[in-house]
Amino acid sequence: PAEHDAARLLLRWLASLPPVSLLHASEVAGLLQALVQRALDVSKQGVDPSGHSWQPWSDWLVGSVLAALPWAGAELSVACPAEWAALSGLVEAYLAARPIQFSEELRPFTAATREGDMAAQ
């Protein structure tokens, strides 16, 4: 967990460098794309490199990328719109590939939901 926190913070720090012209925006976009692509590849294989459940690891990768976007999103969308579009497409592809599982124990409300009600899911 300490390594995970350090990696997430390092990614945020790297994402904050293009607005101050210390890194090129396309390089940071490439790094973010590579992380999301790795999570997407692992989700398709269904195997985590460490042999554990793949979904928490892949979710952490994508979550770390999304958490870095407040520091770089505006710069990336302006400086390299093609890479920004590719990153957005990869995130959407990961979210589409990620299985949605429901646990009755974790539902905060006891009311029954309608089939296909995305807000309740």
Side-chain angles (χ1 to χ4, degrees):
E3 294 86 12
H4 289 102
D5 290 339
R8 188 181 67 250
L9 292 173
L10 180 62
L11 188 60
R12 286 181 185 178
W13 179 72
L14 288 172
S16 69
L17 295 178
V20 294
S21 301
L22 291 176
L23 281 179
H24 196 274
S26 64
E27 294 171 350
V28 172
L31 171 65
L32 298 177
Q33 286 175 13
L35 291 172
V36 176
Q37 183 63 51
R38 179 65 181 143
L40 186 58
D41 292 344
V42 168
S43 72
K44 289 179 181 177
Q45 295 169 357
V47 177
D48 180 5
S50 65
H52 297 101
S53 176
W54 65 268
Q55 192 167 353
W57 186 74
S58 295
D59 285 351
W60 181 84
L61 280 177
V62 174
S64 296
V65 168
L66 294 176
L69 291 182
W71 283 266
E75 179 73 19
L76 295 178
S77 65
V78 171
C80 47
E83 287 88 351
W84 176 256
L87 177 61
S88 299
L90 284 172
V91 170
E92 288 178 12
Y94 176 74
L95 292 176
R98 185 182 181 274
I100 298 174
Q101 299 175 350
F102 301 103
S103 176
E104 292 296 326
E105 297 84 24
L106 297 177
R107 289 190 178 216
F109 304 106
T110 58
T113 59
R114 295 183 312 272
E115 184 68 30
D117 185 4
M118 292 306 291
Q121 295 175 4

